[in-house]
């Protein structure tokens, strides 16, 4: 499946067009007012007045169109900036964790060496078990070559731990050559994971499983949770803006996910039953 072409808009050129149209609109309106004030209106010049009025109206409409277009462009740029800032924050958090782990590594070696010298082998083994568990918990999020995705997984793992949710990771792809910008992918995954965490609020043994894989043609991302099943009549509606079973003012996350994926010819599907609700995102290579 081919990727839909996206048209990059030159913000500077669009702004220049908006200025030219608005200035021309002001000039035409001033000319129209002066013409009406200093000209005796008669049947002969009535057509000229009507023509100027129509021209002024058309230019006003075109100026309004450009202003709206400019506002939409600015809104999209701001949204991308916010997504990049969030991704950078997540990457900074992961980088700080790795630096702290590297800094503590020598200290851990010194402690183990001292315990071995004192022949406290049992204490040394227990200490190594704790250190190994800490290192392993961090390295489990470094399974792809996308630093942003690794950082996102680390952040969501922390959020799950705070809520008492068991997070299972099954990473089978390094995510080389992704056709979708990494901040867009992170927004998609973050929205789905957040949706899964919300669905587990009343679950006694909450669990989320994230699988990242690929085949010859696609990258596959599956986020599953063991919360209450989604009603069958809601399975397609949940991707529409404002539709949610969580009350008013909700239901935008999955709509944003589908809109984002549509740009890159990617798809999202959902299967839900009594045991599990699973969202599956496929991104063509």
């Amino acid at each position: 499946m081919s990727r839909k072409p996206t048209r990059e808009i030159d913000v500077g050129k669009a702004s220049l067009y908006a200025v030219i149209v608005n200035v021309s609109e002001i000039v035409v309106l001033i000319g129209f007012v002066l013409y009406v004030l200093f000209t005796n209106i008669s049947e002969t010049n009535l057509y000229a007045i009507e023509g100027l009025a129509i021209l002024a109206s058309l230019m006003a409409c075109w100026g309004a169109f450009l202003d709206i277009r400019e506002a939409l462009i600015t809104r999209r740029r701001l949204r991308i900036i916010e997504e990049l800032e969030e991704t950078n924050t997540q990457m900074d958090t992961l980088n700080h964790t790795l630096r702290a782990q590297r800094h503590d590594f020598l200290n851990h070696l010194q402690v183990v060496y001292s315990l071995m010298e004192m022949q406290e082998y049992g204490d040394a083994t227990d200490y190594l078990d704790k250190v190994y568990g800490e290192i392993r918990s961090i390295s489990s999020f470094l399974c792809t070559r996308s630093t942003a995705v690794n950082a996102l997984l680390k952040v969501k793992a922390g959020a799950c731990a705070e809520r008492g949710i068991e997070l299972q990771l099954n990473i089978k792809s390094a995510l080389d050559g992704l056709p979708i910008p990494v901040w867009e992918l992170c927004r998609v995954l973050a929205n789905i994971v957040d949706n899964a965490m919300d669905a587990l609020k009343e679950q006694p043994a909450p669990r989320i499983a994230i699988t990242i894989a690929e085949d010859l043609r696609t990258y596959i991302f599956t986020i599953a949770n063991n919360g209450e099943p989604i009603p069958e009549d809601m399975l397609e509606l949940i991707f529409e803006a404002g539709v949610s079973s969580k009350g008013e003012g909700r239901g935008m996350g999955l709509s944003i996910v589908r809109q984002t994926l549509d740009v890159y010819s990617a798809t999202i599907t959902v299967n839900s039953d009594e045991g599990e609700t699973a969202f599956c995102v496929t991104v063509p290579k």
Side-chain angles (χ1 to χ4, degrees):
M1 187 180 295
S2 60
R3 172 180 166 179
K4 294 180 182 178
T6 56
R7 182 182 176 186
E8 288 295 328
I9 299 173
D10 189 329
V11 179
K13 189 177 293 185
S15 301
L16 179 61
Y17 287 159
V19 170
I20 293 174
V21 170
N22 281 289
V23 170
S24 301
E25 178 185 337
I26 293 171
V27 170
V28 171
L29 288 175
I30 292 175
F32 175 70
V33 171
L34 293 176
Y35 184 82
V36 171
L37 288 176
F38 297 102
T39 304
N40 294 324
I41 300 177
S42 62
E43 292 185 1
T44 56
N45 56 21
L46 185 60
Y47 291 111
I49 294 175
E50 290 178 350
L52 284 173
I54 292 173
L55 178 61
S57 299
L58 290 175
M59 295 191 71
C61 291
W62 180 241
F65 168 77
L66 288 180
D67 289 340
I68 293 172
R69 183 167 176 256
E70 189 74 15
L72 292 175
I73 292 172
T74 303
R75 184 178 178 183
R76 172 173 168 76
R77 300 291 184 187
L78 288 175
R79 189 185 68 189
I80 291 175
I81 291 172
E82 290 174 357
E83 292 167 2
L84 288 172
E85 288 177 346
E86 183 178 357
T87 300
N88 287 335
T89 300
Q90 293 169 351
M91 292 172 66
D92 286 342
T93 301
L94 179 60
N95 184 52
H96 175 76
T97 302
L98 293 174
R99 286 169 64 90
Q101 188 181 80
R102 180 181 178 182
H103 177 267
D104 292 338
F105 189 70
L106 182 59
N107 293 331
H108 291 319
L109 285 179
Q110 291 173 341
V111 172
V112 172
Y113 181 78
S114 297
L115 289 172
M116 296 291 287
E117 271 194 329
M118 294 185 295
Q119 298 184 354
E120 298 290 346
Y121 302 120
D123 290 342
T125 300
D126 292 340
Y127 191 87
L128 282 173
D129 285 340
K130 293 177 181 178
V131 173
Y132 174 73
E134 179 184 339
I135 295 175
R136 189 172 181 273
S137 68
I138 299 299
S139 62
S140 64
F141 306 109
L142 306 178
C143 300
T144 77
R145 294 185 182 176
S146 171
T147 307
V149 173
N150 294 339
L152 175 69
L153 294 176
K154 174 70 171 60
V155 169
K156 294 306 176 184
C160 286
E162 290 178 0
R163 299 191 186 190
I165 300 173
E166 177 188 357
L167 179 63
Q168 300 174 351
L169 296 177
N170 184 18
I171 313 298
K172 302 177 181 179
S173 170
L175 299 181
D176 287 326
L178 274 172
I180 179 173
V182 67
W183 66 87
E184 295 273 45
L185 177 62
C186 286
R187 178 171 64 161
V188 167
L189 297 179
N191 272 296
I192 300 175
V193 174
D194 289 344
N195 189 74
M197 288 193 291
D198 287 342
L200 295 173
K201 287 182 178 179
E202 306 298 329
Q203 189 68 17
R207 184 186 72 256
I208 294 176
I210 299 177
T211 301
I212 299 178
E214 66 177 289
D215 56 27
L216 291 176
R217 297 183 178 180
T218 58
Y219 297 96
I220 305 163
F221 305 85
T222 304
I223 296 95
N225 69 82
N226 63 338
E228 290 295 319
I230 301 172
E232 189 173 348
D233 58 346
M234 291 283 292
L235 288 177
E236 281 300 319
L237 296 177
I238 58 175
F239 295 106
E240 296 182 7
V243 176
S244 175
S245 58
K246 304 168 191 171
E248 296 184 4
R250 307 296 296 274
M252 295 304 297
L254 293 178
S255 172
I256 292 173
V257 165
R258 173 164 278 183
Q259 291 173 13
T260 302
L261 293 174
D262 283 345
V263 175
Y264 302 96
S265 300
T267 61
I268 180 170
T269 58
V270 57
N271 292 307
S272 185
D273 53 35
E274 288 296 332
E276 183 179 80
T277 296
F279 289 84
C280 182
V281 173
T282 57
V283 181
K285 291 185 176 181

